[in-house]
Amino acid sequence: MNILILGATGFIGSVIAARLADEGHVVTGLGRTPARAARKQPTIQWRRADLSRMTQPDDWRDILKAQHVVVNCAGALQDGLSDDLAATQTEAMLGLYAAAKPSSILIVQISAQTDRAGGNLPFLATKRAADTALASSGLPYVILRPSLVLGRNAHGGTALLRTLSAFPFVLPLIHADSAVETVAVDDVAAAVSAAISGSLPSGSDIELAAEERHTLASLVKLHRAWLGLPDAPVLSIPPLLARPVTWLADMAGYLGWRSPLRSTAMTVMSEGVSMNSPTPSGHPTLSAAQTLAANPSGVQDLWFARLYLLKAPVIIGLSLFWLLSGLIPLLAPEQAAAHFLPFMPADAAMVLTILTCLIDMALGAAVLFRPFAHRALLGMIAVSLAYLAGGTVLEPTLWLDPLGPLVKILPSLLLTLTALAILDER
């Protein structure tokens, strides 16, 4: 069959795409930035598209030509600079259903449990609206509602589980006693395959979860053992005390960063991640312990868990460093410009001082915006190297200055390189 997968570059979508391709289907993956995915999965055809801009049936007609099945793995947690939930999770789906109806294309929808805590929030409300519209569309469909999905890779909530499990000395948890059910990503892919083969009849609406039920605390401890770390006590944090972190995560979302600590995730976790009555999909489901055991951790997993925890402080630290390095000289521009006086007139020295300060501040601000962060980090590296080269040529004695103005650039460069190395999340 010809199968189109929406969100094929994501955690769940990439596994489903790989399985369906292995089964002999002709798979087309849709994503906003599929270039890297195309190199990783060359057997899959890739098309670049932004669902938030595909809200009309005409936006879908060309893409749907010759397709027999559409698997929707696309989704986002919260509105922000990088995500528009109403457009992506509802309006685009309505356009898709209208365009798919003349050909009776099977729609396999990866959704969520939408009638629990946070059901009125955009994340679940938009999914519920799309599910309701699909059920009444007249199209053949299967809706799959997985619980917390675990696999070899990690993203979003599963990435947060890993980083919490690697926290030093204690495990700081909000809603530590909330119930959490899991499902292996391979089991989700198996359910999608069953839906496509007809083993799951059209009109099925299935919740996917293993039989066991964890608390958030026990699941984090399970991941800690998987990483090979010794047990640590749980530090239960009242939700009220965690609100500043949630607020900062929400603000980061408006700048394009997809933090799993945003308020939507915290609201959902307040009631836990559990299914009402999981319906058997015809396939056994692995428990969380079995899922982790099937994918033994390596040192790279421990690195990821620890670096994921440090990612936000690294970006914020770099931003403050560059903002302050530009702002402080502007408080005494004549003194700052004095370094250039042996090499140029006073007016030119002042202009150069102000220009470098503005460049520093622009880079410090730009790195906070996720769409500009990569270019801002590259800019920081280029400017740092220019400062080192210029200082070495014009005033080499600065290397011996007690305050170390040139020496201090070196650790900044290393931190910038670290931020660049861990910037990508999928």
Side-chain angles (χ1 to χ4, degrees):
M1 288 189 179
N2 296 332
I3 301 173
L4 176 67
I5 301 181
L6 314 183
T9 60
F11 168 46
I12 298 174
S14 60
V15 175
I16 291 174
R19 172 165 183 143
L20 296 180
D22 286 344
E23 291 177 350
H25 299 291
V26 178
V27 177
T28 299
L30 203 67
R32 282 189 285 192
T33 53
R36 182 176 297 174
R39 290 189 287 269
K40 293 191 296 183
Q41 295 177 288
T43 60
I44 296 170
Q45 302 173 19
W46 293 93
R47 296 193 60 166
R48 182 176 181 178
D50 185 347
L51 293 185
S52 66
R53 299 180 181 179
M54 300 176 65
T55 58
Q56 301 301 318
D58 287 343
D59 299 327
W60 289 96
R61 298 195 198 284
D62 179 62
I63 293 176
L64 292 179
K65 286 180 181 177
Q67 299 295 339
H68 303 112
V69 180
V70 174
V71 182
N72 177 25
C73 306
L77 180 66
Q78 203 163 317
D79 286 315
L81 186 62
S82 301
D83 298 301
D84 181 339
L85 293 188
T88 300
Q89 296 190 166
T90 300
E91 294 168 20
M93 295 304 101
L94 296 181
L96 166 65
Y97 304 157
K101 191 168 184 178
S103 302
S104 295
I105 295 174
L106 170 65
I107 308 294
V108 181
Q109 184 103 307
I110 308 297
S111 188
Q113 231 295 350
T114 61
D115 62 354
R116 302 179 72 85
N120 61 329
L121 295 176
F123 167 60
L124 294 178
T126 53
K127 280 189 173 291
R128 184 169 57 249
D131 295 345
T132 301
L134 177 59
S136 61
S137 67
L139 285 165
Y141 73 91
V142 172
I143 297 174
L144 300 174
R145 304 182 189 275
S147 52
L148 182 65
V149 181
L150 301 181
R152 183 68 191 85
N153 298 322
H155 180 70
T158 50
L160 180 61
L161 277 178
R162 293 190 186 184
T163 198
L164 288 172
S165 70
F167 210 88
F169 309 122
V170 296
L171 304 177
L173 301 179
I174 309 165
H175 308 303
D177 295 326
S178 291
V180 181
E181 294 176 359
T182 67
V183 62
V185 67
D186 290 337
D187 290 332
V188 178
V192 171
S193 177
I196 292 170
S197 69
S199 298
L200 299 179
S202 176
S204 298
D205 190 325
I206 299 173
E207 296 178 337
L208 299 175
E211 292 183 1
E212 67 175 0
R213 176 176 290 194
H214 285 273
T215 63
L216 177 60
S218 67
L219 191 58
V220 169
K221 283 177 173 284
L222 184 65
H223 278 77
R224 188 173 179 86
W226 178 71
L227 291 172
L229 298 175
D231 193 21
V234 171
L235 176 62
S236 187
I237 300 175
L240 184 63
L241 295 181
R243 284 184 183 175
V245 174
T246 300
W247 181 84
L248 289 173
D250 283 348
M251 292 302 101
Y254 289 114
L255 299 179
W257 301 91
R258 298 186 176 102
S259 170
L261 290 171
R262 284 173 287 176
S263 56
T264 295
M266 295 302 102
T267 300
V268 171
M269 186 53 68
S270 68
E271 193 173 312
V273 182
S274 59
M275 301 290 103
N276 291 328
S277 53
T279 303
S281 61
H283 297 271
T285 53
L286 295 176
S287 67
Q290 290 170 327
T291 302
L292 295 178
N295 300 280
S297 71
V299 70
Q300 67 271 22
D301 297 294
L302 186 57
W303 285 11
F304 170 83
R306 288 171 171 168
L307 287 171
Y308 194 79
L309 181 68
L310 293 172
K311 184 173 182 177
V314 165
I315 295 295
I316 294 170
L318 280 172
S319 175
L320 289 174
F321 173 79
W322 283 83
L323 287 170
L324 291 175
S325 69
L327 177 62
I328 291 174
L330 290 179
L331 300 178
E334 294 83 4
Q335 183 179 349
H339 291 286
F340 300 118
L341 292 179
F343 316 106
M344 62 187 68
D347 289 345
M350 182 61 69
V351 170
L352 184 58
T353 297
I354 294 175
L355 179 62
T356 55
C357 287
L358 293 177
I359 290 173
D360 287 0
M361 294 172 67
L363 291 172
V367 77
L368 293 175
F369 291 82
R370 181 60 185 88
F372 309 134
H374 186 267
R375 281 170 286 181
L377 292 169
L378 292 177
M380 289 175 179
I381 293 171
V383 171
S384 295
L385 292 175
Y387 288 163
L388 284 174
T392 300
V393 171
L394 298 177
E395 200 171 348
T397 56
L398 287 175
W399 282 103
L400 302 177
D401 189 295
L403 296 178
L406 293 185
V407 173
K408 290 176 181 177
I409 294 177
L410 298 178
S412 170
L413 261 175
L414 292 175
L415 189 63
T416 306
L417 289 169
T418 300
L420 196 60
I422 64 175
L423 186 63
D424 295 327
E425 294 194 351
R426 52 171 77 175

